[in-house]
Amino acid sequence: MRKVVLSIATTLSFFASIASASAQSTVIQFLGQPFVAGNTALFTTALINLNYFNFFSGLNPDGTSIKSQGFLNSFARLSSSGGGRLGGTQSTTTPTTPIQNTLQLVIVMTGFENSISPQYASTGIAFANPGNVPITNISFQYSPLSGTTGLVTNDYTQAPYLAITDNNGMRTRLLPVTSGLLATNAAINTYNAAFNSSSSSSATTLTEGFMTATFTQDQLAIQGNVTKFGLVYVRNGVVLVNNFSINGGQAIAVAVDNTNNYPF
């Protein structure tokens, strides 16, 4: 199958480190390949250009309101007396930030049923590691959408698994986001704003509506060489993914067309 590779200069600006990351390491060149296992009418992964601000705020490009898509807050209120839990809520408040018409590429993973086995029904993206580059950390941002309303949902478990094939290709594991470090971008932005107000550091504001999942070297618990890694989605729903980062650097290319096989 012919592979059309997108240039980093024009299409993969979303493959950047999270705002709170430290100094960037040397950029490692990995090629990501979307895949579909099983019925392609039930599962698919696609790349689309999306205006994050307009999408998550529910605004037309001219500033008129459609309906509020909302964003994931850092806490959902449990009672009027206080308290909260991490996971996020849907905000019905239209942000007051000026309209931003910049389109960014985002990975969209879609499933129309819950899969019993990812080998026979799933979708996602796989990165080969032919150079056996040591993997010290992986992070990505994801936004779960309701398959019924199309709005952001606070079901943070509606996420792709992080797939790791290591031990020189002899072992594959699917890690849920809850086995890594998980936080809403709204919470990260709030922390960064408080931190930056008392220091000389600066950080780019992350797109609210996404959550950031980060896996450290200890959490990855890699054995031997990593031959392949990526994301596997098996849920009934839609999830947006961006900012897939390896070793604090950038995965710089993704093939457009899906392969019809489970790579893990």
Side-chain angles (χ1 to χ4, degrees):
M1 182 178 291
R2 181 174 64 88
K3 296 180 180 179
V4 181
V5 179
L6 305 181
S7 166
I8 185 174
T10 57
T11 59
L12 290 185
S13 58
F14 70 103
F15 277 145
S17 299
I18 62 173
S20 58
S22 57
Q24 302 301 296
S25 59
T26 302
V27 173
I28 302 169
Q29 296 185 4
F30 292 104
L31 173 63
Q33 178 67 62
F35 70 87
V36 175
N39 191 337
T40 56
L42 295 179
F43 287 93
T44 186
T45 290
L47 306 177
I48 67 169
N49 281 310
L50 183 66
N51 183 316
Y52 289 151
F53 179 84
N54 288 347
F55 180 79
F56 286 111
S57 69
L59 298 179
N60 287 308
D62 62 2
T64 58
S65 178
I66 308 170
K67 61 180 179 179
S68 182
Q69 278 281 7
F71 57 88
L72 294 172
N73 291 317
S74 56
F75 291 96
R77 183 69 63 183
L78 291 180
S79 67
S80 58
S81 60
R85 60 178 175 82
L86 184 65
T89 59
Q90 179 184 301
S91 170
T92 57
T93 303
T94 301
T96 57
T97 311
I99 296 295
Q100 301 171 3
N101 292 315
T102 302
L103 295 177
Q104 301 183 53
L105 202 69
V106 63
I107 301 173
V108 182
M109 299 179 183
T110 304
F112 288 101
E113 67 177 18
N114 291 319
S115 173
I116 298 176
S117 169
Q119 184 175 358
Y120 300 105
S122 64
T123 189
I125 187 169
F127 291 87
N129 186 15
N132 292 324
V133 175
I135 305 299
T136 58
N137 62 79
I138 294 177
S139 70
F140 63 91
Q141 297 178 27
Y142 74 96
S143 178
L145 305 182
S146 168
T148 303
T149 66
L151 300 177
V152 178
T153 172
N154 65 351
D155 182 5
Y156 58 88
T157 63
Q158 184 186 316
Y161 288 95
L162 176 65
I164 297 283
T165 299
D166 62 2
N167 198 18
N168 304 313
M170 299 298 292
R171 181 180 75 155
T172 294
R173 292 166 296 142
L174 297 180
L175 305 178
V177 293
T178 50
S179 68
L181 304 174
L182 186 62
T184 65
N185 284 1
I188 296 174
N189 287 338
T190 299
Y191 171 82
N192 285 340
F195 176 78
N196 293 334
S197 66
S198 59
S199 72
S200 58
S201 301
S202 62
T204 303
T205 300
L206 300 175
T207 301
E208 297 185 350
F210 284 87
M211 299 192 72
T212 293
T214 301
F215 296 81
T216 65
Q217 188 169 10
D218 288 342
Q219 291 164 337
L220 291 174
I222 291 170
Q223 298 178 4
N225 292 324
V226 173
T227 58
K228 191 174 294 185
F229 56 90
L231 300 175
V232 177
Y233 188 60
V234 296
R235 290 284 298 270
N236 180 357
V238 180
V239 64
L240 309 182
V241 176
N242 73 351
N243 287 42
F244 194 100
S245 176
I246 303 124
N247 294 348
Q250 300 177 346
I252 65 171
V254 170
V256 172
D257 51 326
N258 293 336
T259 60
N260 296 324
N261 67 284
Y262 183 67
F264 298 102

